[in-house]
Amino acid sequence: MPETQQVAVKRPELHFTAKKNWINDPNGLFFDGKQYHLYFQHNPNGVGHGFMSWGHAVSTDLVNWTELPIAILHGDVADIFSGSIVVDHENTSGFGNGSVPPVIAIYTAAAKDETNQSQAIAYSLDGGATFTKYEQNPILDRGSKDFRDPKVIRYESAEGSFWVMVAVEAIERRVLIYRSENLKDWTELSSFGPQAATAGIWECPDLFQLPVAGTDELKWVLIVSLNPGGIAGGSGSQYFVGEFDGTSFNPDQEQDAWDSLEFETLKQGRWLDYGRDFYAGVSFHGLPVNQQTIIAWMSNWDYARELPHGGWRGSMSTARQVDLVKDSDGKLEIRQCILGLPTAEETEQSTVNGEGRIELGSPALIELTTAGAVAEPVVVSLHRSDDTLISEISVESSLIQHRREAGLVSHELYSSNQRLPLPTDIDELLVQIVLDHGSIEILAADGRRSLTDQLTGEAVPAYAVVRTADGTTANVGVQTLRIQSTEINA
C-alpha cells in the first residue's frame, strides 16, 4: 500500500504510538528512578522507513506515554539506527559536568549510501532530553556494512566493573562481545553464533541477567532477533539461557544452526513470542534484576512498510516483566507478565458449556480457563459490530492458534494463522487475551508462552463468541481496561 494512502486507523490505548510518522525498534530503554524512557526508531519526515532518528517518550506507568522532541536527529551522511543507553554514574566517559551523571546513547551510525555501519555515542547532561554527538565518532568501526545494534551493560566482577557491548554482524549471524573502560575505546572479547535459527539475518541483541523463580539463582539471557526466519514467519526473536563470565557467553544448551523456515524445525528453539508482531525486544537499563522488563516493536518486516496508516505507522508492545522458570525437562525458559494494565473496577465471570457471547467495544482482558485435557478446541471468535469476523483463537491441550483475517490489509502475507505450542506439564490452562485497538496479545501457561499479533486498523472487537464442544467447560472472566486519555494516545 503506498505511503500516501491514508485511512482512519484508531489509535491504541494500551500501547505507545508516535503522534505522527513511522516508528520501529525500541531503543535506549532506561529507568531514571522516576520515569521510564522509551527511545525508538523514528522517521521525522514521513510514514515510511527512512531518515532514521531517535524519537523519545517518557512514562511513569508504562502505559501513559508523553512524547518529547526528537532526541537524536539523523545527519547528512548517516542515519541513527538502533542502540542502547546507559547512565554513566562514575563518569568513566569524562562527559559529566560534576553535577549530574551523563546519559550515554550508544547507537549505529548507518551511512546513507549503505557502504558502512559503525558504532557511535552521544551524551546528555539533562537526563536524556537532548544529546550531543561525540566529536571523535565512530567509537567502533569494523569496515562492515552490517555491523549494528549495540547493547551496552555494566558488568560487575570481583576485579572491578567495566562496560560490555553486544552487537551483531548481521549477515554472519554472529553476536560480537566487546569491553570498554570509558565507553570510547573498545576491545573485542569473543563472539557467539551462528546457532539455532539462522534463516534470517541477526539483529538487536540483548544480554542481561534474570532470576530463576523460587531460587536465589541468577542466569544470563541473550536475546537475538532475526529477519526472516521467525517462528511465525518473517521477523521474530529467539533467546538463549546460559552463563556470561565477562568475556564470553556460553549457552546451557549448544544448538546447531537451523537454516530453515519450517515450523517443525523452528519450534524446538526458545522464542520470546510465537506471533507475527513482536520484534527487536530489548530490556531496560536501570531496573533491578528482579524487575527486568522488555518492550518490543509490534510489527513484522514482511509487511510493516505497507500497512494502512492514519498519518502514523507502528506501535510498541505492552511492557512485560520477565524471569526464568524450569520446564518439565529442567530447562529454563522465560516467563512474561504484562505490566501497566489499568486495574478494572470489576470482573465479569461466566461459565461456557456450548456457546456464550461477551460484549466488548473497549480495551479488555479476557481470561479463559480450561481444566484437564481439552478433547475438542475451545474457540474464541472476535467480531465487528456488523458481525463480520476479525480473528479467531483456538485453544487445544497442546496448541493455541490465532487465525487473523485480512481486514483492512491487502498485503498477501498479512492474513495468517499463528501456532503456539503449549508446555506438556499443565493441569489447568489459563489463557490471558489482551485486546486493544489494533492488536491482540495472548499469554498462556502462566506467561511461559506468548503470541502477539496486530489487528491493523481494527477497533477493539464489538463482541466475542466462546464455543466449547459437548462435555467441555470453559470459565471466562472479562475486565474492561480503561485509562485516562493522554497527549499521545488521545
Side-chain angles (χ1 to χ4, degrees):
M1 181 172 290
E3 288 186 14
T4 54
Q5 185 168 349
Q6 186 167 331
V7 297
V9 178
K10 192 170 181 65
R11 284 188 185 270
E13 295 182 30
L14 308 176
H15 300 78
F16 172 76
T17 59
K19 297 175 185 176
K20 62 180 182 179
N21 298 335
W22 166 280
I23 67 172
N24 59 288
D25 304 355
N27 299 149
L29 307 183
F30 84 99
F31 181 63
D32 66 10
K34 296 181 179 180
Q35 294 188 115
Y36 300 92
H37 292 254
L38 165 65
Y39 300 83
F40 49 92
Q41 289 289 279
H42 184 45
N43 179 357
N45 300 326
V47 293
H49 182 269
F51 304 101
M52 299 316 299
S53 306
W54 275 25
H56 184 199
V58 294
S59 173
T60 58
D61 62 7
L62 295 168
V63 176
N64 293 282
W65 294 93
T66 300
E67 187 173 357
L68 302 176
I70 294 286
I72 310 177
L73 187 66
H74 69 95
D76 294 333
V77 298
D79 283 340
I80 311 299
F81 274 18
S82 290
S84 56
I85 274 181
V86 295
V87 180
D88 186 9
H89 291 285
E90 299 173 16
N91 196 26
T92 64
S93 62
F95 291 130
N97 59 11
S99 59
V100 295
V103 176
I104 312 296
I106 308 96
Y107 60 90
T108 297
K112 289 182 179 288
D113 63 6
E114 300 184 353
T115 59
N116 184 264
Q117 292 183 351
S118 59
Q119 311 322 313
I121 57 176
Y123 62 93
S124 171
L125 298 178
D126 58 8
T130 61
F131 286 84
T132 300
K133 295 175 184 175
Y134 180 41
E135 292 182 354
Q136 297 183 43
N137 279 331
I139 55 165
L140 191 54
D141 188 351
R142 294 170 54 89
S144 169
K145 296 189 294 184
D146 298 287
F147 175 46
R148 57 179 175 268
D149 306 338
K151 179 63 187 285
V152 172
I153 63 171
R154 188 70 170 165
Y155 182 78
E156 307 285 344
S157 72
E159 291 74 33
S161 304
F162 53 90
W163 302 106
V164 169
M165 176 197 295
V166 289
V168 293
E169 275 288 357
I171 302 300
E172 298 175 7
R173 281 71 164 170
R174 286 197 303 140
V175 176
L176 306 181
I177 301 175
Y178 292 85
R179 170 178 175 158
S180 175
E181 309 300 328
N182 58 14
L183 294 166
K184 301 172 182 176
D185 304 298
W186 293 88
T187 301
E188 184 173 350
L189 301 175
S190 63
S191 69
F192 173 82
Q195 282 196 37
T198 58
I201 60 173
W202 281 16
E203 294 187 309
C204 301
D206 196 359
L207 180 65
F208 53 89
Q209 280 187 300
L210 284 182
V212 178
T215 75
D216 296 327
E217 185 180 9
L218 296 175
K219 297 286 287 188
W220 286 88
V221 173
L222 175 66
I223 294 177
V224 179
S225 294
L226 75 160
N227 174 54
I231 185 67
S235 41
S237 298
Q238 62 183 330
Y239 67 90
F240 306 86
V241 179
E243 299 294 342
F244 178 65
D245 60 5
T247 299
S248 60
F249 175 79
N250 296 294
D252 289 346
Q253 180 185 10
E254 294 282 344
Q255 301 174 77
D256 294 331
W258 312 319
D259 187 13
S260 172
L261 298 174
E262 296 299 322
F263 179 81
E264 292 303 317
T265 300
L266 293 173
K267 73 177 185 180
Q268 63 186 303
R270 297 292 195 193
W271 296 92
L272 270 182
D273 195 274
Y274 287 81
R276 290 282 273 157
D277 298 302
F278 193 89
Y279 191 63
V282 287
S283 62
F284 278 83
H285 169 77
L287 287 177
V289 67
N290 62 350
Q291 296 178 26
Q292 193 55 265
T293 300
I294 60 174
I295 292 178
W297 177 44
M298 198 162 57
S299 197
N300 191 305
W301 284 116
D302 269 357
Y303 42 71
R305 293 178 175 88
E306 300 175 53
L307 292 176
H309 68 89
W312 56 274
R313 181 182 277 154
S315 58
M316 297 299 171
S317 73
T318 52
R320 302 180 186 181
Q321 188 167 305
V322 289
D323 65 0
L324 292 169
V325 294
K326 290 184 178 180
D327 66 14
S328 57
D329 295 326
K331 297 177 182 177
L332 293 170
E333 57 186 1
I334 286 180
R335 176 173 61 179
Q336 305 180 39
C337 174
I338 293 178
L339 296 177
L341 295 181
T343 301
E345 293 182 0
E346 59 184 31
T347 301
E348 297 182 12
Q349 297 285 348
S350 62
T351 300
V352 177
N353 189 345
E355 183 173 300
R357 175 170 167 141
I358 302 169
E359 299 299 329
L360 297 170
S362 298
L365 169 65
I366 299 175
E367 294 189 320
L368 177 76
T369 305
T370 63
V374 180
E376 297 292 335
V378 176
V379 178
V380 181
S381 54
L382 305 174
H383 298 265
R384 305 177 186 90
S385 58
D386 63 3
D387 300 326
T388 54
L389 182 67
I390 299 173
S391 73
E392 189 171 78
I393 304 125
S394 174
V395 179
E396 306 172 40
S397 294
S398 61
L399 186 72
I400 294 176
Q401 299 187 69
H402 179 236
R403 179 170 63 85
R404 178 174 65 182
E405 299 289 303
L408 296 176
V409 183
S410 60
H411 196 287
E412 62 182 1
L413 296 178
Y414 178 83
S415 178
S416 53
N417 185 66
Q418 283 62 262
R419 293 166 288 181
L420 186 158
L422 290 168
T424 59
D425 55 352
I426 301 174
D427 294 324
E428 182 177 80
L429 176 63
L430 170 63
V431 181
Q432 297 176 300
I433 304 169
V434 177
L435 295 170
D436 195 6
H437 306 300
S439 70
I440 180 171
E441 291 173 275
I442 302 170
L443 267 66
D446 192 31
R448 291 160 60 189
R449 298 289 186 273
S450 69
L451 189 158
T452 303
D453 280 342
Q454 291 191 71
L455 300 173
T456 303
E458 302 285 354
V460 170
Y463 67 94
V465 175
V466 180
R467 298 190 303 276
T468 67
D470 290 342
T472 300
T473 298
N475 296 315
V476 182
V478 181
Q479 300 180 42
T480 299
L481 305 175
R482 304 183 188 278
I483 64 172
Q484 294 180 347
S485 178
T486 68
E487 177 185 5
I488 296 172
N489 293 327

